[in-house]
Amino acid sequence: MSHKTVTSDRSKRPAYRTVQNWMPFLVWGRRINRESLIADLLAGLTGAIMVLPQSVAYAMIAGLPPEFGLYTAIIVPIITGLFGSSRHMISGPAAAISIVVLSVVNNIVPQGTDAYIPAVLTLTLLAGLFQFGFGLARMGTLVNFISHTVVIGFTAGAAILIASSQFKHILGLAVPSGMPFYADWDFIFDHLSSFNGYSLSIALVTILSTLLIKKISKKIPAMLFGMIIGSLCCWLLKGETQGVPMVGELSGQLPTFFLPDLSANTLSALLPGALAIAILGLVEAVAIARAIAIHSGQRIDGNQEFIGQGLANTVGSFFTCFVSSGSFTRSGVNYDAGAKTPLAGMFAALILVLILLFAPHITRYLPLPAMAGAILLIAWNLIDIQHIRQILHSNKQEASILLVTFGSTLIVALEFSIYLGVLISLIFYLKRTSTPTIMEVAPKSISQGTDLRSVQRFQLPECPQLKIIRIDGSIFFGAVDHIQKNMQRFSEENHGQNHILINCSGINFIDFAGAEMLLKEAKLLQKKGFSLSFCALKNTVKDELAALNFLDKLGEENFYATVDDALAGLTPRFNSDICSQCRHKVFKQCP
């Protein structure tokens, strides 16, 4: 028996498939060969060059020492590569997540104090446990409850906060930490006259050179070279002697075991923020993984991605990593660089280990204004101007969700702005589903099958004895009142149409409250001399009515499989005198 046959037989076993689901590296690991190793190594080198300045920048955004960004960029991609679903997505520090970390922890433990770093690690642990738990519970669909509009609004607001936090470095002003967004700007404007011209010059040189390099070639790591040029500018201007602060030398140590703050007070205080940041991280990761999968052709398992992200944050919290997620920029570069397996991300992590061990002084001569200029560009790229413009001009409800989420990120705590955006999205969704479209329909064509369309839109003639209405939405407790009012209106405004037929093709489910309402309306219509019938009801919905014991109560004879079956059963009951006076042949069943 060949090896291929053994592998095929083994992969069919349920136990083996379960192990594969838990350990995805067993699947892609079998595809590693010399060609893929070389491709992954080259992609890893490109990724390391890209992540080096970004990881340091994101650590600064989160209020942490620069090496914490490198620690996160080392440990997280290895764990997500082994246990995540995507073969091309690179996880690690992310801009929007970093500003939320600062916002959540700074409200409980002031930045710069000894308790700040343990609290960040506690937040990372809690977020990781939430994500891992969601994965175990198979809650991959959870990300669908955060609309794309909420993410766009939140990210735009976070970008403004990130940019605002860097102007103190760009202008060389000693802005007190822990102040709200508007207080920071108030302080900056009050002290604008005392800005450091050297700091501003270095930041501008970094920004302009980065933009210029990016325009010349997108393959060159523009941010890295922009910061190098900014550092050269600082050296030429002798900026360090003019009060320009430096990022400082890295510790030169590998990530070490560090216990988070597990006190009850810290855990309870960070719990709401951890849930919000866990969900945000999962939304980003799954969205990025799916976007790349469109090009790679890979199928993404959302639940497995939850497990990979959760394990990375949980394990990382004990090795001085802060909350991470997928990076669209680094993932895109990784895929474009020809990565074949998650080994590319692991190779990038190993290269960062070598930098930490043998070149920790790499940031010694990096001025803070140059780093701040690079972060300013990162913040600008977070704002999705194209989609924001499209949302604002296309849909009022989506526009209001966008504006509320964006505004709340600047005013309230960041984690609550996420909850607020989700809440408003759900309110609009419930409002939409609780008022399903109910329209009067009539045949537009009877040549093939009866084609029912809106009476009002197409100016169609109606049968003088039969009113046909179509309900486009489910009949559940939230929609009962709206549907009941419309049905009563149709019965009160009718002109001799004593037969009412409901086209149920747009109904996906009927709950107990909906079934009770239909029975009640059927009895009321019967007392008034009307008959109520149903057609084109989906079999699954019919099964629900039967399970609730309402199919018999409504009368199974009043349910028809198609519109034509209903017309064939109802037209013989029509008054022949009225039919003879009708000027329109509305149905093909008409005499």
Side-chain angles (χ1 to χ4, degrees):
M1 186 182 292
S2 67
H3 172 72
K4 184 177 181 181
T5 306
V6 172
T7 304
S8 176
D9 292 341
R10 192 171 48 174
S11 64
K12 291 178 182 178
R13 299 172 191 168
Y16 189 75
R17 284 201 302 269
T18 302
V19 172
Q20 283 184 328
N21 290 337
W22 277 95
M23 300 179 182
F25 57 86
L26 293 177
V27 179
W28 58 260
R30 294 200 303 269
R31 302 179 182 180
I32 296 174
N33 52 41
R34 185 173 178 274
E35 183 185 347
S36 70
L37 275 174
I38 294 172
D40 287 339
L41 182 60
L42 293 175
L45 180 61
T46 305
I49 295 171
M50 173 72 70
V51 75
L52 177 62
Q54 284 191 353
S55 60
V56 174
Y58 295 153
M60 285 183 59
I61 293 172
L64 295 166
E67 56 265 26
F68 277 58
L70 293 177
Y71 295 160
T72 307
I74 290 169
I75 291 175
V76 169
I78 294 175
I79 298 174
T80 54
L82 291 172
F83 296 99
S85 174
S86 175
R87 291 177 194 152
H88 298 100
M89 185 179 72
I90 301 296
S91 295
I97 298 288
S98 299
I99 192 67
V100 182
V101 169
L102 176 64
S103 173
V104 171
V105 180
N106 198 45
N107 288 333
I108 298 161
V109 179
Q111 179 188 352
T113 61
D114 293 338
Y116 182 79
I117 290 176
V120 169
L121 301 182
T122 304
L123 179 71
T124 306
L125 173 64
L126 291 173
L129 291 174
F130 273 127
Q131 292 173 334
F132 186 69
F134 292 152
L136 290 181
R138 315 299 291 173
M139 295 175 68
T141 56
L142 181 71
V143 296
N144 297 330
F145 286 95
I146 299 187
S147 69
H148 188 53
T149 304
V150 171
V151 176
I152 290 174
F154 170 80
T155 308
I160 300 297
L161 293 177
I162 290 170
S164 300
S165 68
Q166 298 307 306
F167 271 96
K168 59 184 177 184
H169 301 308
I170 290 172
L171 298 173
L173 299 175
V175 180
S177 60
M179 295 196 304
F181 161 75
Y182 50 85
D184 279 348
W185 279 104
D186 188 50
F187 182 92
I188 289 170
F189 284 124
D190 285 345
H191 298 79
L192 199 58
S193 58
S194 57
F195 76 95
N196 188 322
Y198 292 91
S199 294
L200 180 60
S201 300
I202 294 165
L204 289 175
V205 167
T206 304
I207 292 170
L208 293 173
S209 57
T210 302
L211 292 173
L212 182 62
I213 294 168
K214 192 176 288 186
K215 194 170 183 179
I216 294 170
S217 174
K218 291 185 178 181
K219 293 184 178 180
I220 301 174
M223 185 180 295
L224 180 64
F225 281 99
M227 287 162 56
I228 291 172
I229 293 171
S231 301
L232 287 173
C233 176
C234 181
W235 178 73
L236 291 172
L237 295 174
K238 298 181 179 179
E240 199 167 359
T241 62
Q242 302 296 330
V244 176
M246 299 293 172
V247 171
E249 192 170 324
L250 299 172
S251 63
Q253 297 177 346
L254 293 179
T256 55
F257 183 81
F258 195 104
L259 195 65
D261 182 358
L262 301 177
S263 63
N265 290 337
T266 304
L267 289 171
S268 60
L270 291 173
L271 208 59
L275 177 60
I277 205 171
I279 294 172
L280 178 64
L282 292 176
V283 170
E284 281 197 357
V286 174
I288 292 166
R290 287 175 178 170
I292 294 174
I294 292 172
H295 301 283
S296 66
Q298 185 198 351
R299 190 183 69 83
I300 299 298
D301 182 349
N303 294 309
Q304 189 61 44
E305 202 57 58
F306 279 24
I307 290 172
Q309 295 293 325
L311 280 174
N313 282 318
T314 302
V315 175
S317 67
F318 292 97
F319 293 92
T320 53
C321 300
F322 61 98
V323 189
S324 64
S325 184
S327 166
F328 193 85
T329 304
R330 297 196 298 276
S331 301
V333 167
N334 184 56
Y335 178 73
D336 291 339
K340 303 296 182 184
T341 72
L343 274 179
M346 298 178 193
F347 282 138
L350 292 176
I351 292 169
L352 290 181
V353 168
L354 296 176
I355 291 172
L356 262 178
L357 290 177
F358 300 108
H361 55 277
I362 198 167
T363 57
R364 166 68 183 85
Y365 301 102
L366 176 62
L368 270 176
M371 178 63 72
I375 293 174
L376 208 64
L377 290 175
I378 291 171
W380 173 255
N381 290 329
L382 285 175
I383 303 174
D384 192 342
I385 296 174
Q386 180 183 350
H387 281 101
I388 289 173
R389 188 183 291 116
Q390 187 178 345
I391 291 168
L392 291 176
H393 288 89
S394 61
N395 189 298
K396 289 183 179 179
Q397 287 189 355
E398 291 293 315
S400 60
I401 293 170
L402 175 75
L403 293 173
V404 169
T405 308
F406 173 77
S408 61
T409 58
L410 304 178
I411 299 170
V412 302
L414 278 177
E415 65 272 24
F416 293 112
S417 68
I418 300 171
Y419 293 140
L420 187 60
V422 174
L423 179 62
I424 294 172
S425 297
L426 289 176
I427 288 172
F428 281 130
Y429 170 76
L430 290 173
K431 183 181 177 183
R432 194 180 304 122
T433 55
S434 64
T435 55
T437 302
I438 303 173
M439 68 174 71
E440 301 169 70
V441 293
K444 185 182 179 186
S445 170
I446 58 174
S447 57
Q448 299 287 330
T450 305
D451 180 23
L452 298 178
R453 297 299 177 93
S454 170
V455 170
Q456 186 177 4
R457 172 171 290 187
F458 295 97
Q459 298 296 306
L460 300 174
E462 288 188 89
C463 174
Q465 300 188 68
L466 175 65
K467 170 75 72 177
I468 308 177
I469 61 175
R470 190 179 74 209
I471 300 175
D472 292 334
S474 299
I475 305 178
F476 71 109
F477 64 92
V480 161
D481 185 60
H482 175 74
I483 295 171
Q484 191 172 25
K485 284 179 180 177
N486 277 275
M487 288 182 65
Q488 290 173 0
R489 177 174 61 83
F490 288 134
S491 64
E492 290 168 1
E493 294 178 356
N494 86 89
H495 303 285
Q497 296 167 305
N498 55 358
H499 298 282
I500 296 178
L501 174 65
I502 298 180
N503 183 348
C504 306
S505 59
I507 299 172
N508 291 318
F509 72 89
I510 301 175
D511 69 358
F512 187 83
E516 269 197 329
M517 180 274 294
L518 290 177
L519 181 61
K520 181 181 176 182
E521 287 304 306
K523 289 179 178 178
L524 286 174
L525 289 170
Q526 192 175 11
K527 287 181 181 179
K528 296 178 181 179
F530 295 89
S531 71
L532 180 63
S533 304
F534 308 86
C535 71
L537 187 68
K538 295 173 183 175
N539 288 329
T540 53
V541 183
K542 197 171 183 179
D543 292 341
E544 289 173 359
L545 282 176
L548 293 170
N549 201 29
F550 276 94
L551 197 59
D552 291 335
K553 292 178 181 178
L554 287 165
E556 196 162 355
E557 69 279 3
N558 294 318
F559 288 83
Y560 299 92
T562 65
V563 177
D564 287 312
D565 288 345
L567 294 174
L570 292 173
T571 48
R573 305 185 204 173
F574 290 177
N575 187 314
S576 57
D577 292 335
I578 298 175
C579 285
S580 63
Q581 296 172 15
C582 181
R583 294 179 299 168
H584 304 283
K585 185 176 173 63
V586 180
F587 312 122
K588 62 183 177 183
Q589 292 85 355
C590 290

